[in-house]
Amino acid sequence: MMAARAMWKGVIRFGDVEVPVKLYSAVQDRSVHFRLLHEKDRSPVKQAMVNPDTEEIVPHAETRRAYRTDEGSLVVFDKQELEALEPDSGRDIEVIRFMPPQVIDHRWYDRPYFLGPDGSESLYFALAEALGNSGKEGLARWVMRKKSYVGALRLHRGVPMLMSLRHEEQVVPVDALEPPKGKALDAKELDMARQLIGMLEAEFDPEAYHDEYRERVLELIEAKRRGKRVKVTPIRRREASDDLSKALEASLKKERKRA
């Protein structure tokens, strides 16, 4: 396994306590990236910004950002105007509150970061012990690479981590959805649904869940690299039944055979 590389350094501060830490991303991009080629001669091509009226290529230096208002007019900005609004860079990760765990629900979660010691390991382990003993998690704010963040400071299997959170205006309240309508389950359907849920009950095993599309793409790449002819079999998707009772009966029968 490749060793994790620190992506940023900061100092956790609450009260007079200062704990220097390094941030490590707790997730990684494993997407398959392709080069875009010209079909005719397989030479690489690149994207360009084009004026749709004149079809002329516009150099990036000659572009400006603009915001389209609800009335349809454009408010134009130059680079310096927007840069002046960026938050001041710093290294402080300021813990502003401590709260019980699970108070922040999953809708707020954005990106997880592991925290590692930066210098003093005793301060780092004191932080981990304090978080563990308190049973609380912190609410922190920091500025990283000209972007301001709010995040939850918590322990994961004894390792301090920061979970950056979405901002309030990004989170959709559940009451924005129309309440579900339709016929309620009858007693038989409800019993079958409970049986099916019980038969599917299991521990979460992360190794059982892979990006199957990515694996199929990598298999195809390897086969083509070896010069093999590849026949891609499309995935057949079953049509969903409108009859809930029959669907539940069929699912229970299938799970009993699998057991």
Side-chain angles (χ1 to χ4, degrees):
M1 181 181 293
M2 186 183 298
R5 296 181 58 184
M7 53 177 291
W8 192 71
K9 292 183 178 183
V11 179
I12 293 179
R13 297 181 187 276
F14 54 98
D16 293 330
V17 178
E18 298 181 1
V19 184
V21 292
K22 294 179 181 177
L23 262 70
Y24 302 83
S25 178
V27 294
Q28 56 185 338
D29 179 15
R30 298 299 304 278
S31 304
V32 179
H33 298 279
F34 295 102
R35 293 290 304 273
L36 202 59
L37 306 179
H38 188 182
E39 182 183 18
K40 183 178 178 181
D41 58 8
R42 306 294 171 89
S43 58
V45 296
K46 59 183 180 181
Q47 293 180 317
M49 288 172 284
V50 177
N51 184 322
D53 295 329
T54 64
E55 296 189 349
E56 292 179 352
I57 294 176
V58 179
H60 184 268
E62 296 179 14
T63 62
R64 292 290 182 274
R65 292 183 184 276
Y67 177 81
R68 183 182 291 278
T69 67
D70 293 340
E71 294 75 27
S73 60
L74 295 174
V75 181
V76 182
F77 302 90
D78 61 33
K79 186 179 177 183
Q80 291 73 23
E81 286 177 309
L82 293 175
E83 284 180 347
L85 302 179
E86 293 174 349
D88 291 334
S89 298
R91 294 291 175 189
D92 288 353
I93 302 170
E94 182 189 8
V95 181
I96 51 179
R97 294 282 188 278
F98 281 96
M99 57 188 67
Q102 313 305 326
V103 167
I104 303 170
D105 70 55
H106 292 68
R107 295 173 303 151
W108 296 84
Y109 296 171
D110 188 13
R111 190 178 179 90
Y113 301 92
F114 289 127
L115 298 179
D118 182 21
S120 172
E121 295 198 358
S122 60
L123 285 173
Y124 174 81
F125 286 117
L127 170 67
E129 189 172 355
L131 285 172
N133 289 338
S134 72
K136 307 281 187 185
E137 62 182 38
L139 184 67
R141 60 189 175 197
W142 70 99
V143 176
M144 181 168 64
R145 295 170 183 166
K146 300 182 180 180
K147 185 177 178 182
S148 59
Y149 293 86
V150 175
L153 173 65
R154 56 177 57 160
L155 279 187
H156 175 71
R157 298 184 178 180
V159 177
M161 65 180 301
L162 272 177
M163 173 70 75
S164 68
L165 303 176
R166 297 184 175 93
H167 293 102
E168 190 273 340
E169 57 271 24
Q170 295 176 282
V171 177
V172 178
V174 69
D175 56 12
L177 299 176
E178 290 287 337
K181 299 175 183 175
K183 174 178 158 294
L185 297 184
D186 61 32
K188 182 183 175 184
E189 291 169 338
L190 195 56
D191 182 58
M192 287 192 293
R194 285 174 177 155
Q195 288 184 57
L196 182 59
I197 291 171
M199 295 174 79
L200 292 172
E201 186 176 338
E203 297 288 334
F204 175 57
D205 178 12
E207 293 186 0
Y209 305 101
H210 296 268
D211 184 343
E212 296 181 3
Y213 169 73
R214 175 178 177 273
E215 291 174 349
R216 284 160 59 90
V217 170
L218 291 176
E219 288 174 6
L220 179 60
I221 290 171
E222 180 61 17
K224 290 182 71 101
R225 190 183 70 81
R226 292 170 178 250
K228 294 183 178 178
R229 294 180 63 85
V230 179
K231 182 179 179 182
V232 178
T233 305
I235 299 174
R236 289 187 175 181
R237 303 189 186 281
R238 289 180 301 175
E239 291 188 11
S241 171
D242 292 334
D243 190 323
L244 180 59
S245 288
K246 287 184 178 178
L248 286 168
E249 286 173 6
S251 298
L252 283 172
K253 188 176 177 181
K254 184 177 170 184
E255 290 304 317
R256 287 183 183 121
K257 279 185 179 178
R258 186 181 295 176

mmCIF file of all heavy atoms in Angstrom, residues 36 45-52 55-60 63:
data_model
loop_
_atom_site.group_PDB
_atom_site.id
_atom_site.type_symbol
_atom_site.label_atom_id
_atom_site.label_comp_id
_atom_site.label_asym_id
_atom_site.label_seq_id
_atom_site.Cartn_x
_atom_site.Cartn_y
_atom_site.Cartn_z
ATOM 1 N N LEU A 36 -7.622 12.519 -24.678
ATOM 2 C CA LEU A 36 -8.511 12.731 -25.806
ATOM 3 C C LEU A 36 -7.663 12.894 -27.067
ATOM 4 O O LEU A 36 -6.768 13.736 -27.118
ATOM 5 C CB LEU A 36 -9.362 13.985 -25.558
ATOM 6 C CG LEU A 36 -10.670 14.096 -26.338
ATOM 7 C CD1 LEU A 36 -11.579 12.919 -26.042
ATOM 8 C CD2 LEU A 36 -11.376 15.396 -25.982
ATOM 9 N N VAL A 45 -5.478 16.063 -28.506
ATOM 10 C CA VAL A 45 -6.164 17.334 -28.729
ATOM 11 C C VAL A 45 -6.393 17.991 -27.374
ATOM 12 O O VAL A 45 -6.294 17.352 -26.332
ATOM 13 C CB VAL A 45 -7.514 17.131 -29.455
ATOM 14 C CG1 VAL A 45 -7.291 16.559 -30.839
ATOM 15 C CG2 VAL A 45 -8.435 16.233 -28.648
ATOM 16 N N LYS A 46 -6.654 19.276 -27.371
ATOM 17 C CA LYS A 46 -6.913 19.997 -26.130
ATOM 18 C C LYS A 46 -8.124 20.890 -26.303
ATOM 19 O O LYS A 46 -8.494 21.254 -27.428
ATOM 20 C CB LYS A 46 -5.694 20.812 -25.711
ATOM 21 C CG LYS A 46 -5.252 21.840 -26.724
ATOM 22 C CD LYS A 46 -3.988 22.539 -26.245
ATOM 23 C CE LYS A 46 -3.530 23.582 -27.262
ATOM 24 N NZ LYS A 46 -2.282 24.252 -26.834
ATOM 25 N N GLN A 47 -8.716 21.230 -25.167
ATOM 26 C CA GLN A 47 -9.900 22.064 -25.212
ATOM 27 C C GLN A 47 -9.501 23.521 -25.401
ATOM 28 O O GLN A 47 -8.421 23.937 -24.987
ATOM 29 C CB GLN A 47 -10.705 21.920 -23.921
ATOM 30 C CG GLN A 47 -11.313 20.533 -23.752
ATOM 31 C CD GLN A 47 -12.091 20.419 -22.464
ATOM 32 O OE1 GLN A 47 -11.647 20.888 -21.426
ATOM 33 N NE2 GLN A 47 -13.244 19.797 -22.526
ATOM 34 N N ALA A 48 -10.359 24.269 -26.035
ATOM 35 C CA ALA A 48 -10.101 25.697 -26.238
ATOM 36 C C ALA A 48 -11.413 26.443 -26.042
ATOM 37 O O ALA A 48 -12.499 25.892 -26.246
ATOM 38 C CB ALA A 48 -9.542 25.954 -27.627
ATOM 39 N N MET A 49 -11.299 27.699 -25.597
ATOM 40 C CA MET A 49 -12.494 28.531 -25.443
ATOM 41 C C MET A 49 -12.755 29.264 -26.752
ATOM 42 O O MET A 49 -11.846 29.881 -27.312
ATOM 43 C CB MET A 49 -12.281 29.518 -24.293
ATOM 44 C CG MET A 49 -12.306 28.830 -22.942
ATOM 45 S SD MET A 49 -11.835 29.897 -21.578
ATOM 46 C CE MET A 49 -10.068 29.963 -21.821
ATOM 47 N N VAL A 50 -13.971 29.122 -27.232
ATOM 48 C CA VAL A 50 -14.304 29.636 -28.557
ATOM 49 C C VAL A 50 -15.475 30.609 -28.455
ATOM 50 O O VAL A 50 -16.450 30.346 -27.744
ATOM 51 C CB VAL A 50 -14.678 28.468 -29.503
ATOM 52 C CG1 VAL A 50 -15.095 28.990 -30.875
ATOM 53 C CG2 VAL A 50 -13.521 27.484 -29.624
ATOM 54 N N ASN A 51 -15.345 31.732 -29.134
ATOM 55 C CA ASN A 51 -16.468 32.663 -29.244
ATOM 56 C C ASN A 51 -17.506 32.032 -30.170
ATOM 57 O O ASN A 51 -17.218 31.789 -31.347
ATOM 58 C CB ASN A 51 -15.961 33.990 -29.831
ATOM 59 C CG ASN A 51 -17.067 35.036 -29.892
ATOM 60 O OD1 ASN A 51 -18.216 34.738 -30.180
ATOM 61 N ND2 ASN A 51 -16.692 36.279 -29.622
ATOM 62 N N PRO A 52 -18.712 31.726 -29.663
ATOM 63 C CA PRO A 52 -19.687 31.017 -30.508
ATOM 64 C C PRO A 52 -20.171 31.845 -31.692
ATOM 65 O O PRO A 52 -20.666 31.282 -32.673
ATOM 66 C CB PRO A 52 -20.834 30.708 -29.535
ATOM 67 C CG PRO A 52 -20.702 31.725 -28.450
ATOM 68 C CD PRO A 52 -19.244 31.997 -28.320
ATOM 69 N N GLU A 55 -16.569 32.041 -33.800
ATOM 70 C CA GLU A 55 -15.854 30.760 -33.832
ATOM 71 C C GLU A 55 -14.337 30.943 -33.712
ATOM 72 O O GLU A 55 -13.565 30.060 -34.065
ATOM 73 C CB GLU A 55 -16.210 29.954 -35.091
ATOM 74 C CG GLU A 55 -17.685 29.555 -35.134
ATOM 75 C CD GLU A 55 -17.981 28.585 -36.254
ATOM 76 O OE1 GLU A 55 -17.103 28.391 -37.123
ATOM 77 O OE2 GLU A 55 -19.083 28.022 -36.252
ATOM 78 N N GLU A 56 -13.921 32.109 -33.216
ATOM 79 C CA GLU A 56 -12.499 32.343 -32.989
ATOM 80 C C GLU A 56 -12.115 31.864 -31.582
ATOM 81 O O GLU A 56 -12.904 31.996 -30.639
ATOM 82 C CB GLU A 56 -12.163 33.835 -33.118
ATOM 83 C CG GLU A 56 -12.304 34.364 -34.542
ATOM 84 C CD GLU A 56 -11.982 35.859 -34.600
ATOM 85 O OE1 GLU A 56 -11.818 36.462 -33.513
ATOM 86 O OE2 GLU A 56 -11.905 36.404 -35.707
ATOM 87 N N ILE A 57 -10.887 31.331 -31.458
ATOM 88 C CA ILE A 57 -10.388 30.909 -30.154
ATOM 89 C C ILE A 57 -10.042 32.142 -29.322
ATOM 90 O O ILE A 57 -9.374 33.063 -29.812
ATOM 91 C CB ILE A 57 -9.158 30.002 -30.308
ATOM 92 C CG1 ILE A 57 -9.574 28.681 -30.988
ATOM 93 C CG2 ILE A 57 -8.501 29.730 -28.963
ATOM 94 C CD1 ILE A 57 -8.425 27.751 -31.273
ATOM 95 N N VAL A 58 -10.506 32.150 -28.067
ATOM 96 C CA VAL A 58 -10.260 33.288 -27.168
ATOM 97 C C VAL A 58 -9.194 32.890 -26.152
ATOM 98 O O VAL A 58 -9.388 31.943 -25.386
ATOM 99 C CB VAL A 58 -11.550 33.689 -26.429
ATOM 100 C CG1 VAL A 58 -11.287 34.856 -25.487
ATOM 101 C CG2 VAL A 58 -12.653 34.013 -27.424
ATOM 102 N N PRO A 59 -8.040 33.570 -26.130
ATOM 103 C CA PRO A 59 -7.007 33.256 -25.118
ATOM 104 C C PRO A 59 -7.552 33.458 -23.713
ATOM 105 O O PRO A 59 -8.364 34.356 -23.473
ATOM 106 C CB PRO A 59 -5.889 34.264 -25.431
ATOM 107 C CG PRO A 59 -6.143 34.699 -26.841
ATOM 108 C CD PRO A 59 -7.628 34.657 -27.031
ATOM 109 N N HIS A 60 -7.058 32.639 -22.788
ATOM 110 C CA HIS A 60 -7.546 32.723 -21.410
ATOM 111 C C HIS A 60 -7.323 34.104 -20.819
ATOM 112 O O HIS A 60 -8.150 34.615 -20.046
ATOM 113 C CB HIS A 60 -6.830 31.663 -20.546
ATOM 114 C CG HIS A 60 -7.322 31.615 -19.136
ATOM 115 N ND1 HIS A 60 -6.744 32.357 -18.130
ATOM 116 C CD2 HIS A 60 -8.350 30.956 -18.572
ATOM 117 C CE1 HIS A 60 -7.398 32.142 -17.003
ATOM 118 N NE2 HIS A 60 -8.379 31.288 -17.238
ATOM 119 N N THR A 63 -10.146 36.550 -21.171
ATOM 120 C CA THR A 63 -11.469 36.204 -20.644
ATOM 121 C C THR A 63 -11.734 36.930 -19.336
ATOM 122 O O THR A 63 -10.808 37.384 -18.662
ATOM 123 C CB THR A 63 -11.588 34.682 -20.394
ATOM 124 O OG1 THR A 63 -10.631 34.289 -19.413
ATOM 125 C CG2 THR A 63 -11.365 33.910 -21.677
#
